Amino acid sequence: MTKRIHWSNLYLILVFIVLYAPIIFLVVYSFNSGTTMDHFNGFTLSHYGELFADTRLIAIVLQTLLIALLSALISTIIGTLGTLWIQQTSRPFFKNTLLSLNNILIVSPDVIIGASFLIFFTTLSIPLGFTSVLLSHIAFSIPIVVLMVLPRLKELNSSMLDAAADLGANQAQILREVIIPFITPGIFSGFFMALTYSLDDFAVTFFVTGNGFTTLSVEIYSRARQGISLEINALSGLLFVLTLGLILGYYFVSQSHQRRMLKRKRGVAK
Amino acid sequence: MSRRQYANWGYYIPYGLWIGLFVIAPVGLIIYQSFLNLNHHFTLANYETYFKSGTYLMMTVNSLWWAFLITVFTLLISYPAAYYIHQLKHRQLWLLLTILPTWINLLLKAYAFIGIFSQSGVVNQFLGLFGIAPQQILFTNFSFVFVATYIQIPFMILPIYNSIDDVSDSYINASRDLGATSWQTFSKVIWPLTLPGVKAGVQSVFIPSLSLFMLTRLIGGNKVITLGTAIEEHFLTTMNWGMGSTIGVVLIIAMVIIMMLTGDRQADGGRVR
């Protein structure tokens, strides 16, 4: 028995080494005083200095963040409203159709989304650039928001809504005072997912970005095609720390929220 | 009991517009475009070229084969990993650590492998210790499959882990009590019960693997051509949108077939970008 567990641990350690080795490799070489990822010549922070002096790259980072925040915000609003629609539809056929349509963009390969959006924008003669990238990011984030909010909305007890209506709340009040506060955790995780999808996207953006506008992923792609530049390593070091912070933050926020919910439930039981 | 109206119809307009403009219209447009030639005239020539010239058919078969290989390797590595993670004490934390690499940009991970696999890179230095001359690793089929598998592993582990989590311990105990060996318990009880997770994982790995054009460019050195590479080439390099859309339609059909084969359970692992 102990032997089996021993082997399983060894296997997991191997898997985790493989999962993290490339990332650690990248970050370690960001401190390399040489210019390649082959030999570690000595410790330096100069690549980080280069990174912060590179105003073009910083502008691209800011553009990427702006796109991510705007698209996450807008898609969260539209997605949440869509979730209300899906949930309140009474005919099962219509509901399933809505859900299937919702999930099309989630299962579609990125190239299909990118190519079809490119045709779409050219047909409507929407200029390729900030607008087209923003619209695309909003479009592919909406279904994720819906999938995050829907389970939460399903948990909402309809007697709460009846109670609110009996107490004289009108539709807008019910929405604002009962439904929205209840589904807020779902909305937050939807927003968070939309944010990460937008930051992570390469393929769709690559298709609809045109010439003038780039996001970070597209920029990394074009630089990586030119070969090794340790400035990218420095960038990935920064991004890794940022991601780690974001995820830990999200983890603790959701944990403390769960604890609060538990407490509230216990309070009700008393 | 009558169902309640949550909100005014006005609130639903943006979502309805989204479905019309960004879900239905683009799919319609890509199908329409696939019947247009370079001069925007209606034609069946694109499909004729696709089916008559052996190159396109071979490319499709190759692309499916690479995606199949990637999926098999990913599954072989991920299933035991998910199973063992589930046995750990702080499994939630370990699961989080499994998913964490997916939040690092895909291109940065691909870029890391350019350094690792290069002629004088870490792997070749390691091989050099055993007196093996530097090998060409980057820009080979092997490196493409390796990096793609690496990237897809977390997306396979997550759904399998969730389905293992759903299996009640009492089934396993019952099977043991009835005298089944560990292998029998696994093959007759655990595997069938976790099949939905495996299907969801296969779905969320196979479909993106058909379209990983950035990896074929950065790691595969243009030797591996997937459906995604061909679409990107036709849309952004040769500007033959009609042919590109035709391949796109083929990819959509492949996707639908895979989804039918793997059932309609939604993968909650998300997709790779």
Side-chain angles (χ1 to χ4, degrees):
Chain A
M1 195 65 190
T2 45
K3 202 181 164 200
R4 196 177 61 88
I5 285 168
H6 177 78
W7 279 111
S8 71
N9 283 348
L10 193 72
Y11 180 79
L12 275 186
I13 289 166
L14 258 173
V15 168
F16 275 99
I17 287 176
V18 171
L19 277 180
Y20 280 89
I23 299 165
I24 293 164
F25 176 80
L26 267 187
V27 177
V28 166
Y29 272 91
S30 71
F31 299 109
N32 183 12
S33 60
T35 52
T36 60
M37 282 202 268
D38 302 339
H39 294 281
F40 199 86
N41 301 45
F43 181 86
T44 176
L45 284 174
S46 67
H47 300 296
Y48 285 88
E50 258 171 65
L51 184 67
F52 286 115
D54 192 341
T55 44
R56 184 170 172 268
L57 196 64
I58 290 172
I60 292 172
V61 170
L62 291 179
Q63 280 171 2
T64 312
L65 285 176
L66 182 69
I67 290 270
L69 284 171
L70 273 180
S71 69
L73 191 71
I74 299 171
S75 61
T76 306
I77 294 168
I78 300 179
T80 307
L81 293 177
T83 317
L84 293 174
W85 188 16
I86 293 175
Q87 181 63 14
Q88 68 111 53
T89 324
S90 45
R91 271 182 303 165
F93 173 75
F94 188 54
K95 192 171 188 164
N96 286 335
T97 312
L98 270 183
L99 270 175
S100 313
L101 286 173
N102 183 66
N103 293 346
I104 283 183
L105 285 188
I106 292 186
V107 290
S108 298
D110 298 334
V111 263
I112 296 291
I113 301 178
S116 60
F117 281 7
L118 177 61
I119 304 175
F120 175 74
F121 289 132
T122 352
T123 313
L124 292 184
S125 45
I126 292 171
L128 297 182
F130 181 82
T131 327
S132 61
V133 172
L134 180 64
L135 283 174
S136 316
H137 282 219
I138 293 170
F140 69 62
S141 301
I142 287 175
I144 304 144
V145 174
V146 170
L147 286 192
M148 302 305 271
V149 180
L150 197 59
R152 190 76 196 154
L153 194 58
K154 277 183 183 158
E155 282 173 25
L156 180 62
N157 194 338
S158 64
S159 52
M160 289 233 288
L161 303 181
D162 292 332
D166 287 347
L167 292 168
N170 62 29
Q171 217 176 54
Q173 280 174 321
I174 293 178
L175 187 66
R176 211 172 45 233
E177 309 285 340
V178 183
I179 300 175
I180 298 287
F182 187 81
I183 59 174
T184 301
I187 296 176
F188 271 122
S189 35
F191 179 81
F192 182 77
M193 286 303 281
L195 206 63
T196 56
Y197 268 63
S198 168
L199 288 175
D200 220 32
D201 176 68
F202 165 69
V204 178
T205 314
F206 190 65
F207 270 87
V208 298
T209 191
N211 285 324
F213 187 79
T214 36
T215 63
L216 201 51
S217 305
V218 178
E219 179 68 13
I220 295 169
Y221 178 73
S222 56
R223 288 197 187 192
R225 287 199 83 174
Q226 287 158 16
I228 308 280
S229 137
L230 292 188
E231 205 185 325
I232 302 183
N233 293 55
L235 182 67
S236 48
L238 278 184
L239 286 177
F240 185 62
V241 173
L242 197 79
T243 322
L244 211 64
L246 209 72
I247 286 168
L248 287 179
Y250 176 75
Y251 183 70
F252 286 118
V253 166
S254 62
Q255 288 280 316
S256 74
H257 182 85
Q258 269 179 3
R259 237 172 287 139
R260 237 182 299 139
M261 290 300 280
L262 265 171
K263 244 183 230 165
R264 206 180 291 166
K265 263 184 203 154
R266 252 182 251 134
V268 169
K270 268 176 204 166
Chain B
M1 206 199 92
S2 70
R3 272 187 168 265
R4 177 174 307 280
Q5 287 282 114
Y6 285 144
N8 269 323
W9 279 100
Y11 288 125
Y12 305 147
I13 289 174
Y15 187 76
L17 273 178
W18 168 75
I19 286 189
L21 288 177
F22 289 97
V23 180
I24 298 171
V27 176
L29 278 171
I30 206 169
I31 295 170
Y32 174 70
Q33 186 85 35
S34 72
F35 290 107
L36 297 183
N37 65 12
L38 282 170
N39 305 317
H40 300 282
H41 293 305
F42 188 86
T43 174
L44 284 172
N46 293 324
Y47 285 95
E48 212 179 304
T49 322
Y50 178 85
F51 284 108
K52 279 199 176 149
S53 91
T55 21
Y56 284 111
L57 285 177
M58 269 314 285
M59 182 269 296
T60 310
V61 173
N62 274 332
S63 182
L64 288 169
W65 171 244
W66 292 124
F68 173 76
L69 279 184
I70 294 165
T71 312
V72 168
F73 287 136
T74 314
L75 181 62
L76 284 178
I77 296 166
S78 303
Y79 197 98
Y83 188 77
Y84 292 143
I85 288 172
H86 190 259
Q87 291 177 341
L88 293 176
K89 215 185 220 166
H90 302 286
R91 43 179 102 154
Q92 285 301 331
L93 183 70
W94 285 104
L95 193 66
L96 189 74
L97 283 176
T98 320
I99 311 164
L100 188 65
T102 63
W103 271 295
I104 305 295
N105 199 305
L106 173 92
L107 290 151
L108 287 178
K109 287 183 277 188
Y111 169 76
F113 279 103
I114 298 179
I116 293 171
F117 281 157
S118 71
Q119 279 282 349
S120 49
V122 177
V123 174
N124 272 323
Q125 285 171 30
F126 182 73
L127 291 177
L129 294 178
F130 302 101
I132 301 169
Q135 305 283 315
Q136 176 69 38
I137 306 173
L138 196 63
F139 306 141
T140 59
N141 299 344
F142 163 79
S143 62
F144 170 69
V145 174
F146 187 94
V147 176
T149 306
Y150 165 78
I151 282 164
Q152 306 280 26
I153 284 174
F155 295 96
M156 186 69 97
I157 291 183
L158 192 62
I160 294 177
Y161 174 90
N162 286 337
S163 67
I164 292 174
D165 207 32
D166 288 342
V167 176
S168 161
D169 280 342
S170 51
Y171 288 130
I172 295 159
N173 292 334
S175 149
R176 296 245 164 86
D177 288 348
L178 293 167
T181 62
S182 305
W183 172 248
Q184 282 172 324
T185 307
F186 175 75
S187 64
K188 304 274 183 203
V189 180
I190 300 172
W191 173 257
L193 285 174
T194 53
L195 212 54
V198 173
K199 281 181 174 175
V202 166
Q203 198 179 325
S204 62
V205 168
F206 195 96
I207 297 172
S209 297
L210 290 171
S211 67
L212 286 170
F213 73 89
M214 47 295 202
L215 287 191
T216 63
R217 294 251 189 266
L218 292 174
I219 304 289
N222 290 340
K223 279 181 192 143
V224 181
I225 295 176
T226 61
L227 288 168
T229 320
I231 294 170
E232 188 254 359
E233 179 96 17
H234 281 296
F235 266 91
L236 300 176
T237 312
T238 62
M239 292 292 174
N240 186 352
W241 288 16
M243 197 63 221
S245 302
T246 307
I247 303 166
V249 172
V250 173
L251 180 50
I252 292 174
I253 293 169
M255 177 187 101
V256 172
I257 293 172
I258 292 151
M259 290 187 53
M260 275 162 27
L261 288 178
T262 53
D264 58 338
R265 202 189 128 118
Q266 274 311 312
D268 45 1
R271 28 170 201 176
V272 189
R273 296 192 161 276

